[in-house]
């Protein structure tokens, strides 16, 4: 059975529409990469392709497939994963909606990618799904989002350039927001649940792999370094 190379699940959501647009921009008309978008509402998915066509300069409405799938419908998730080589899930918070998609991917031997930034969820899923995914030959690649990639790349760059052994690195965040700006509902919900369940982390990390410090710990400076400027 033929499978799409990539399926964007949750393509009509706030983040999913940008992922779909960027994927459309990356795909050439040669047919080298086959792709589709998936979600609950056909009308909204059609609108995503129409909007993406405007931005990429070509009509992708007949180029991309459309799959109807609902995170609350196990059969629909399995049907989606059955026709995909890789599923990019943009449906969060992943604490609630990530597990069913990963389970469907494992059962249908489909690779999984998401944009999760919920630390407890990442480590919970690692512990819960690693063995089954490895047995099925399925790659689960999480944290492919804005809040994760810069930190990973920054750490790799620091390791390459630092003339010695790094025992700890300090991350400085500068948030600049326009006056009257807002936070997306899914991002806000993910943040609130992460803070509310912060105590999960210590137990989870102890069960996964006890962490050993290689040198002195840096003094935390949250109040000094974290600030927000509005204009």
């Amino acid at each position: 059975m033929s499978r799409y190379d990539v399926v964007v699940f949750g393509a009509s959501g706030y983040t999913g529409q940008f992922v779909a647009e960027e994927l459309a921009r990356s795909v050439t008309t040669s047919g080298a990469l086959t792709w589709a978008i998936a979600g609950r509402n056909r009308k909204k998915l059609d609108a995503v392709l129409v909007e993406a066509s405007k931005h990429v300069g070509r009509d992708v409405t007949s180029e991309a497939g459309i799959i109807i799938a609902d995170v609350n419908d196990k059969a629909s998730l399995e049907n989606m994963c059955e026709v995909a080589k890789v599923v990019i899930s943009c449906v969060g918070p992943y604490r609630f909606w990530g597990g069913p998609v990963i389970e469907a991917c494992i059962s249908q031997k489909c690779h999984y990618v998401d944009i999760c930034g919920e630390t407890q969820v990442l480590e919970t899923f690692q512990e819960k799904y690693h063995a089954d995914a490895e047995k099925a030959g399925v790659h689960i690649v999480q944290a492919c989002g804005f809040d994760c990639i810069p930190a990973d790349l920054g750490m790799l760059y620091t390791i390459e350039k630092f003339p010695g052994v790094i025992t700890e690195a300090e991350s400085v965040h500068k948030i600049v927001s326009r006056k009257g700006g807002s936070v997306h509902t899914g991002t806000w919900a993910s943040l609130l649940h992460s803070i509310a369940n912060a105590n999960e982390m210590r137990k989870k990390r102890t069960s996964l792999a006890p962490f050993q410090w290689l040198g002195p710990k840096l003094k935390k400076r949250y109040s000094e370094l974290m600030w927000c400027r509005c204009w």
Side-chain angles (χ1 to χ4, degrees):
M1 179 183 62
S2 177
R3 287 187 164 194
Y4 292 107
D5 292 315
V6 181
V7 172
V8 181
F9 179 48
S12 60
Y14 177 77
T15 302
Q17 60 186 327
F18 293 114
V19 174
E21 179 185 319
E22 190 58 35
L23 182 58
R25 185 175 285 109
S26 303
V27 174
T28 65
T29 55
S30 64
L33 183 73
T34 59
W35 62 291
I37 60 174
R40 295 175 296 177
N41 189 303
R42 173 68 192 238
K43 186 176 180 180
K44 290 183 178 180
L45 293 173
D46 285 332
V48 168
L49 293 181
V50 170
E51 190 64 23
S53 298
K54 296 177 183 177
H55 291 283
V56 302
R58 73 175 191 279
D59 184 6
V60 301
T61 56
S62 59
E63 174 184 311
I66 291 181
I67 302 169
I68 303 302
D70 188 331
V71 75
N72 291 308
D73 184 343
K74 181 180 178 181
S76 73
L77 292 179
E78 290 182 346
N79 290 338
M80 172 183 69
C81 295
E82 185 181 21
V83 297
K85 295 178 183 178
V86 177
V87 165
I88 301 175
S89 179
C90 300
V91 180
Y94 293 92
R95 172 181 295 274
F96 305 116
W97 314 124
V101 185
I102 291 178
E103 290 168 9
C105 283
I106 292 174
S107 72
Q108 301 303 316
K109 293 181 169 53
C110 167
H111 302 302
Y112 172 90
V113 176
D114 71 24
I115 55 170
C116 179
E118 303 157 57
T119 311
Q120 301 101 318
V121 176
L122 296 173
E123 301 194 15
T124 296
F125 285 178
Q126 178 185 346
E127 183 178 47
K128 184 176 181 179
Y129 296 118
H130 174 75
D132 289 340
E134 186 175 44
K135 185 177 179 180
V138 170
H139 294 287
I140 299 175
V141 184
Q142 296 190 271
C144 296
F146 169 76
D147 53 347
C148 310
I149 299 300
D152 287 346
L153 293 179
M155 194 68 233
L156 287 173
Y157 179 83
T158 304
I159 291 172
E160 289 178 358
K161 300 298 181 181
F162 188 77
V165 178
I166 295 179
T167 60
E168 187 175 2
E170 188 172 62
S171 176
V172 180
H173 297 269
K174 176 181 177 181
I175 302 173
V176 179
S177 175
R178 294 183 182 277
K179 211 167 188 178
S182 61
V183 177
H184 182 255
T185 305
T187 301
W188 184 243
S190 297
L191 176 62
L192 290 180
H193 285 286
S194 293
I195 293 173
N197 295 281
N199 290 333
E200 293 178 357
M201 288 304 303
R202 183 168 298 181
K203 293 180 181 178
K204 187 61 59 182
R205 287 182 173 172
T206 300
S207 65
L208 280 173
F211 187 81
Q212 296 182 347
W213 290 97
L214 299 176
K217 295 174 63 175
L218 293 176
K219 181 180 178 181
K220 304 302 180 184
R221 299 188 293 156
Y222 297 114
S223 60
E224 298 175 39
L225 297 177
M226 298 187 70
W227 58 282
C228 178
R229 184 184 71 194
C230 298
W231 72 76

